[in-house]
Amino acid sequence: MGTDANDTPLKLTKKGHSCVRLEKGGRTLVIDPGGFSEQESALGADALLVTHEHPDHFDELRLRAAMEANPEARIWTLRSVAEQISGAFPGRVHTVGHGDTFEAAGFEVEVHGELHAVIHPDIPRITNIGFVVDGLVFHPGDALTVPERPVKTLLLPMHAPWNKFSEVLDYVRAVSPAQVYDIHDGLLNDNGLGVLNRMLGEGGPGTGGAAHDHLRSGEGVRLAR
């Protein structure tokens, strides 16, 4: 993988729940524009990544709108999602899995992980992949996958039917990033966010050294390399 792409500043914008936009050099990559993110969250994307088929991560109408608005846009996702949308956009939907690497609109992407976290033994597990972008930021989807490489910025699934706080905290410590930003928080009100943010900050056991911040929808940051 080349190094030139990794020298360009990378901006991250939170777009609601588990959706983020990454921008550099005039190109835009969107991850998981699902049903809990803003209606326009995928519009303007040059590349779209989808971690799995659950509707809070995969919304076909949002993807279709983005693909129709930009005939050059492409999707990279796992088979269960590709099978649902590839027929509408022949040659523009790419199936990827654990261990794959590819370039998407100038962003260098690695795929990590294979399965969704266990919700309950009675509920069959589905597939799930996570994405490391430009060797800098990791979006795990609905799993607590520890990538087999260091990542500086972790997008942390804060709250879901499949996790609890002790697992969230231990996950941060296992990945050992320099910076953590919350995702997967669409079911939390301000009270819940306040409690969890205190637990990950000075009022709780802490993250093991990682800086932790919460971005509200629409807020953006420049990611340090």
Side-chain angles (χ1 to χ4, degrees):
M1 311 265 297
T3 58
D4 291 347
N6 290 338
D7 294 332
T8 306
L10 191 64
K11 180 183 179 182
L12 179 146
T13 303
K14 178 76 175 291
K15 295 303 290 182
H17 192 54
S18 203
C19 180
V20 297
R21 294 173 70 94
L22 297 171
E23 299 170 81
K24 70 171 185 180
R27 309 297 295 278
T28 298
L29 180 149
V30 176
I31 306 177
D32 280 4
F36 293 171
S37 58
E38 288 89 340
Q39 191 68 40
E40 75 285 356
S41 57
L43 292 178
D46 300 290
L48 298 125
L49 311 181
V50 181
T51 63
H52 66 288
E53 64 193 271
H54 283 160
D56 56 326
H57 297 256
F58 164 50
D59 182 86
E60 185 173 343
L61 292 180
R62 284 169 171 77
L63 291 178
R64 282 177 174 270
M67 297 286 277
E68 290 167 358
N70 179 6
E72 300 302 316
R74 300 289 186 272
I75 297 172
W76 285 262
T77 187
L78 72 185
R79 186 172 306 280
S80 60
V81 171
E83 288 176 345
Q84 298 183 55
I85 197 166
S86 60
F89 302 100
R92 299 172 63 191
V93 181
H94 308 282
T95 301
V96 294
H98 176 68
D100 288 340
T101 61
F102 57 93
E103 183 176 299
F107 297 84
E108 295 179 350
V109 185
E110 304 170 11
V111 183
H112 294 263
E114 299 180 86
L115 289 172
H116 192 287
V118 175
I119 302 172
H120 187 274
D122 291 352
I123 300 176
R125 293 179 77 181
I126 63 171
T127 50
N128 177 96
I129 54 178
F131 300 104
V132 173
V133 180
D134 279 357
L136 176 63
V137 56
F138 180 50
H139 189 307
D142 275 7
L144 301 180
T145 302
V146 178
E148 298 173 354
R149 52 112 70 229
V151 289
K152 195 164 186 180
T153 302
L154 173 65
L155 303 181
L156 178 65
M158 180 67 89
H159 174 263
W162 48 266
N163 71 14
K164 59 183 179 180
F165 176 74
S166 63
E167 296 172 336
V168 170
L169 177 56
D170 287 344
Y171 178 54
V172 174
R173 293 177 175 179
V175 176
S176 191
Q179 177 70 57
V180 176
Y181 294 107
D182 302 338
I183 57 170
H184 216 285
D185 53 8
L187 298 180
L188 288 171
N189 60 20
D190 287 341
N191 292 331
L193 285 170
V195 169
L196 292 177
N197 284 326
R198 282 195 300 275
M199 293 292 283
L200 288 170
E202 295 181 359
T207 59
H212 168 255
D213 287 297
H214 175 76
L215 299 176
R216 293 194 176 274
S217 186
E219 286 189 299
V221 292
R222 296 284 179 181
L223 298 183
R225 294 190 180 274

